[in-house]
Amino acid sequence: MKVLSVSKFRYNYIFNIITFTDKLAVIPANLKMNELKIEPYYNQPKEDSFLYRYLTIDKLLDLLLSERISLVRLNMFNDKLEGSSLKHLLLNHISELTKKNMQSLGGTFGSISLTVNPTERNKHSRQREVFQATNYASCWYINNYESVAMWQLYSKSDSVAIKIPYKVLNNELLNGNFEINSKYDKLKFGAISYHRFKNIENLEEAKIRTDAQGFIKDSSFEHEREFRIMIENKDSEKKYLENRGILLDEDVVKINTSNEIKVKHLRLNNFKELPFEIIFHPECQKWHKKNIEKIIKQFNIKFNVIDSELTNTFK
């Protein structure tokens, strides 16, 4: 058995043990090397952090029934800049700045419609579209305590939050203690890096080189303190091309749409043994708490079920 020291998220799966930012990741021997590509993003939470996920009751039931985490395709998210790269954002900013400077000169430049660097910008935009269509993410909140904002934004009074120590989930992912319900090329996870996109020209070159697609967002989302698990599959969906004389264009679109995979699932092999806690919504009614507690018992799950520490805040 050999040990390979690596930086950032460059991996060589010839080896059975990978050292990553002073943490040891053991790759199970029974996995074929071309089937497992785990890439922790360089930006990881503090070791003693907790991860929270705010769930509606139907999503909680799915978690308990299937022992799995849902990952949603990125182009289903509200943020249309998902999958942007800092290089792309900087290129857009410099191009628009150049355009304004040229138009300010007046004359011909001031009277024509002007686009700067269209070829390169279109290239990056198309890469982002492909990235959004082939990557799926599960989003968690990083902190050592609950968030009023997250309860209000992502839940209802009958919702819950699940909580788990970051280091526990981190170890499960690094050790490959999971199964994914469909083909995938790699699994990535880490904390989101937040940047002021409108002040992008002040970014250091080092950040532009190291920040990865899918792990950067505008500072306006910083309240989410997001930890993300993401899987990538570049050929996850079979696309049917137009076959003239057999199918109409609109039928091809319908077939492709019906075959789209919008959600993938990551099943945790040690689910029932993990130290999850289930936290009731601060405004949860007593009868609803009792129903959830009964459900937990029926599943023979020993998770702690507790009241929210923010209950008095909502009264």
Side-chain angles (χ1 to χ4, degrees), residues 139-173:
C139 307
W140 300 65
Y141 174 71
I142 308 165
N143 218 328
N144 288 338
Y145 44 84
E146 298 169 46
S147 163
V148 171
M150 297 300 286
W151 278 121
Q152 291 176 333
L153 289 170
Y154 297 105
S155 70
K156 300 176 182 178
S157 62
D158 61 351
S159 300
V160 300
I162 57 170
K163 174 185 177 183
I164 189 170
Y166 154 72
K167 62 183 178 182
V168 172
L169 189 57
N170 177 63
N171 287 336
E172 292 299 299
L173 296 174

Side-chain angles (χ1 to χ4, degrees), residues 70-208:
S70 298
L71 300 99
V72 180
R73 201 175 61 206
L74 292 188
N75 58 9
M76 305 293 293
F77 287 19
N78 290 332
D79 182 8
K80 300 310 175 186
L81 292 179
E82 281 285 356
S84 295
S85 66
L86 293 179
K87 185 177 179 181
H88 182 198
L89 295 169
L90 186 61
L91 174 66
N92 282 345
H93 176 81
I94 292 174
S95 299
E96 289 303 308
L97 194 62
T98 302
K99 174 182 175 179
K100 288 181 180 179
N101 290 338
M102 293 174 69
Q103 289 178 330
S104 67
L105 297 175
T108 303
F109 289 128
S111 60
I112 63 172
S113 177
L114 185 64
T115 303
V116 179
N117 295 324
T119 302
E120 192 67 16
R121 292 168 74 182
N122 284 337
K123 174 185 172 183
H124 282 289
S125 293
R126 289 164 189 158
Q127 287 174 345
R128 182 177 64 201
E129 288 178 9
V130 171
F131 187 87
Q132 289 179 350
T134 56
N135 281 265
Y136 301 73
S138 175
C139 307
W140 300 65
Y141 174 71
I142 308 165
N143 218 328
N144 288 338
Y145 44 84
E146 298 169 46
S147 163
V148 171
M150 297 300 286
W151 278 121
Q152 291 176 333
L153 289 170
Y154 297 105
S155 70
K156 300 176 182 178
S157 62
D158 61 351
S159 300
V160 300
I162 57 170
K163 174 185 177 183
I164 189 170
Y166 154 72
K167 62 183 178 182
V168 172
L169 189 57
N170 177 63
N171 287 336
E172 292 299 299
L173 296 174
L174 282 175
N175 292 331
N177 292 329
F178 59 84
E179 298 171 5
I180 295 176
N181 68 325
S182 58
K183 181 181 176 183
Y184 73 102
D185 298 314
K186 63 182 68 171
L187 179 140
K188 300 169 278 188
F189 58 91
I192 295 292
S193 296
Y194 296 96
H195 303 279
R196 187 69 179 135
F197 285 0
K198 288 192 175 181
N199 196 26
I200 209 76
E201 76 274 15
N202 293 328
L203 278 174
E204 299 172 12
E205 182 63 27
K207 290 184 177 179
I208 295 174

Side-chain angles (χ1 to χ4, degrees), residues 2 25 27 60 172 218 284 304:
K2 297 182 180 180
I27 305 302
L60 172 65
E172 292 299 299
D218 186 71
C284 187
N304 285 337

